[in-house]
Amino acid sequence: MKTFTFSLMIGMIAMTSGCSSPKSEQAASPLAEKIKRFAPTAIATDLSRLSPSDRQALKKLIQAAALMDRIYARQSWSGTDSLRAKLQADITPEGIERLHFYDLNGGPWSRLDQDAPFLPGVPGTKPPQANYYPADITKEEFTAWVARLPEPEQKKATGFFYTIRRNANRTLRVVPYSEEYRDLLEPAATLLRDAAALTENASLKKFLTLRAEAFHSNDYYASDVAWMDLDSPVEPTIGPYEVYMDEVFNYKAAFEAFICLRDDAETAKLTMFAGHLQEIENNLPIDARYRNPKLGAMAPIRVVDEVAQGGESRPGIQTAAYNLPNDERVTAEKGSKRVMLKNIQEAKFRTILTPLAAKLLNPAQQPKIAFDPFFTHILAHELMHGLGPHSIVVNGKKTTARQAMKELSSALEEAKADISGLFALQYLMDTGVLDRGREESMYVTFLAGIFRSVRFGTNDAHGKGMALQFNYLSGEGAIHQDSTSGYFTADIPRFKEAAKKLTGVIMTIQAEGSYEKAAALMGTYGVVRPAMKAALDRLTDIPVDIEPQFPVVQ
């Protein structure tokens, strides 16, 4: 239903803009200009690889993904449901345009414009607590309340899968997701059970059954473990995962869905990386006491094609890869799975990165831009999320780097994964695992990727993390800009050393659990400086990201 509605909306916009009237010759509206930053892109994949039973299961999973949209909307802001219904009722060209941009952003705040509101009657500032906490809560109130709770209740209050609400007397209480979103999780669980009954794949059947149970029990551990063991042509990721939307503490997980098909040939090519993770961990440029002498089980790597999405995966910048689960209990036991969305990455490289590099990079280095290093670094980024400090001790108390960094956690972790991904690939080249002939191409393509990511805005964790890296690398002489042409050049020897140095800086801050050092690093480097701003101003005719359009699965 949602796919049909969206296609109809696009068609109405096209018909309206195609009318031969004086209005059609006028300049595009401000909102239309903002919409143009997302390039409509058809995302196709070959469904013939599926058995008839898995194809029927896939339809159920796509329906379940649509329910993640509704849960995510409720999580993002208390006024989302009523506002979207109002927008949907307006079928004028202007109303259709507003709804289109609303859906692109997952709400009434423009993600590429520092979350500025684009509709009247909404808060001028996007609520940093989303709808996980009471709208009037303060950090101080929450922190003091948590400190008074027994330890088991503290874990729930700061846990992934619980909202915080007020009682009638305005005291705080913990509400499990299974209760908060029961009206949507129950039908989602039914669809997962239906899919489990249809598929003949044992591992998929087990995961879907356990995930349906988790929607009722609020305990996601067993289903996360089953997801790690999934060995199926259909690769679904569905449930509460990422904590980006909780900008107060990065505690609460948002619901999302990636419904994908596994690419066996591409997956086989990349499995060799997993066998070197412990070796890379043992050689991280940090004090040996901060390294993990025994990583979890071999990290699965999956290359997939996306066929549907839902919840947090849909609005804004499109995910190119992900590294899950985030539950430290699971990662300590099983590691984490890296999932590479190859058809999404190809679309981004073709539509965004290639034309961007032609405008900003030294023409002598432009021929080094290639999809293979783009794809491989995204893999390394996801692998490195699992390496480095995670479980730590601060002031004698066990915690995690994520919790110690609070709202800075996401941006710092993205920067860590990016820059340590370069370190890891360089290490594999230096030890003969990878071809050293890839070296220059890797750094030049990464440099182009910096500009691609910073365009997401510094309110986005990836964009802020990339701004940090650009400023730090520039300060170390790894990136030069020609004062006449404005072109940027990667100084490869200095790039290597600076990447290694910054890897050590970020991981040491995480290992120490030093929120103060993280804040100082972000405050100094996590900003868009004039040179970057001028470069970004040259890219206004290039889309910032894609707007994927998936064919309806019959």
Side-chain angles (χ1 to χ4, degrees), residues 340 342 345-358 361-379 422 425 429 437-450 452:
M340 308 284 288
K342 189 168 187 284
Q345 293 182 28
E346 288 171 336
K348 286 173 176 276
F349 182 82
R350 179 179 64 252
T351 308
I352 313 297
L353 190 74
T354 302
L356 178 154
L361 266 59
N362 183 337
Q365 289 190 331
Q366 286 180 22
K368 295 295 182 179
I369 300 292
F371 178 72
D372 181 67
F374 177 74
F375 180 73
T376 305
H377 179 262
I378 292 175
L379 169 66
L422 282 183
L425 292 174
M429 290 178 192
R438 296 179 173 190
E439 193 174 79
E440 185 177 1
S441 185
M442 178 179 75
Y443 288 106
V444 173
T445 303
F446 179 83
L447 175 56
I450 289 179
R452 183 184 72 89

Side-chain angles (χ1 to χ4, degrees), residues 129 133-138 141 166 170:
Q129 77 279 2
Y133 308 86
D136 61 351
I137 200 169
T138 64
E141 179 189 14
R166 290 198 187 278
R170 295 192 53 76

Side-chain angles (χ1 to χ4, degrees), residues 135-169:
D136 61 351
I137 200 169
T138 64
K139 277 188 176 183
E140 292 74 20
E141 179 189 14
F142 179 79
T143 302
W145 172 68
V146 170
R148 296 193 297 270
L149 295 174
E151 186 173 349
E153 292 303 305
Q154 287 185 1
K155 289 183 178 179
K156 291 180 180 178
T158 60
F160 290 114
F161 314 126
Y162 299 85
T163 59
I164 308 300
R165 299 293 178 243
R166 290 198 187 278
N167 294 307
N169 63 0

Side-chain angles (χ1 to χ4, degrees), residues 204-489:
L204 180 59
K205 190 184 296 288
K206 180 178 180 180
F207 165 67
L208 294 176
T209 301
L210 289 174
R211 182 51 45 119
E213 292 176 4
F215 284 170
H216 288 290
S217 68
N218 212 55
D219 184 351
Y220 286 85
Y221 173 80
S223 57
D224 274 343
V225 171
W227 182 76
M228 289 293 296
D229 294 334
L230 187 61
D231 183 12
S232 165
V234 180
E235 181 81 32
T237 302
I238 184 166
Y241 287 105
E242 303 288 9
V243 297
Y244 301 123
M245 194 162 60
D246 178 0
E247 297 176 10
V248 180
F249 291 109
N250 276 171
Y251 288 163
K252 307 303 177 186
F255 280 85
E256 66 181 348
F258 298 90
I259 310 302
C260 306
L261 304 186
R262 190 176 66 193
D263 185 326
D264 289 330
E266 290 295 331
T267 295
K269 291 179 184 178
L270 297 182
T271 52
M272 54 80 62
F273 283 95
H276 294 277
L277 293 184
Q278 186 66 63
E279 182 183 350
I280 294 170
E281 175 80 22
N282 295 344
N283 287 276
L284 290 174
I286 54 177
D287 193 295
R289 63 197 165 113
Y290 296 144
R291 299 176 190 147
N292 188 342
K294 191 176 190 313
L295 294 175
M298 191 72 72
I301 300 172
R302 299 285 185 266
V303 180
V304 302
D305 285 331
E306 190 174 22
V307 297
Q309 54 186 198
E312 191 175 42
S313 67
R314 188 184 300 280
I317 301 302
Q318 294 300 298
T319 301
Y322 53 92
N323 171 67
L324 294 172
N326 286 324
D327 188 334
E328 289 88 357
R329 297 174 303 164
V330 181
T331 57
E333 177 185 342
K334 303 285 290 186
S336 54
K337 186 190 296 187
R338 283 76 175 182
V339 181
M340 308 284 288
L341 303 170
K342 189 168 187 284
N343 55 352
I344 297 293
Q345 293 182 28
E346 288 171 336
K348 286 173 176 276
F349 182 82
R350 179 179 64 252
T351 308
I352 313 297
L353 190 74
T354 302
L356 178 154
K359 280 183 173 285
L360 295 184
L361 266 59
N362 183 337
Q365 289 190 331
Q366 286 180 22
K368 295 295 182 179
I369 300 292
F371 178 72
D372 181 67
F374 177 74
F375 180 73
T376 305
H377 179 262
I378 292 175
L379 169 66
H381 170 110
E382 298 305 328
L383 289 171
M384 295 308 292
H385 274 307
L387 274 64
H390 286 87
S391 296
I392 61 175
V393 177
V394 179
N395 297 324
K397 184 178 179 180
K398 291 183 178 180
T399 184
T400 65
R402 175 182 60 83
Q403 290 181 320
M405 297 299 101
K406 301 177 184 177
E407 81 282 359
L408 303 177
S409 171
S410 291
L412 192 67
E413 178 62 22
E414 294 305 328
K416 164 218 149 175
D418 273 333
I419 203 68
S420 65
L422 282 183
F423 165 81
L425 292 174
Q426 184 65 56
Y427 175 84
L428 293 176
M429 290 178 192
D430 291 344
T431 55
V433 176
L434 294 179
D435 178 11
R436 191 183 287 275
R438 296 179 173 190
E439 193 174 79
E440 185 177 1
S441 185
M442 178 179 75
Y443 288 106
V444 173
T445 303
F446 179 83
L447 175 56
I450 289 179
F451 295 102
R452 183 184 72 89
S453 295
V454 172
R455 296 178 81 202
F456 303 163
T458 54
N459 59 308
D460 174 89
H462 302 80
K464 192 174 186 69
M466 273 298 195
L468 183 161
Q469 293 167 82
F470 176 81
N471 291 325
Y472 189 96
L473 293 167
S474 296
E476 294 291 314
I479 301 170
H480 303 292
Q481 184 181 25
D482 184 86
S483 59
T484 303
S485 67
Y487 285 125
F488 292 86
T489 301

Side-chain angles (χ1 to χ4, degrees), residues 24-40:
S24 69
E25 297 174 4
Q26 296 175 1
S29 70
L31 212 54
E33 290 296 324
K34 293 179 182 294
I35 290 170
K36 282 170 56 179
R37 294 178 295 182
F38 297 87

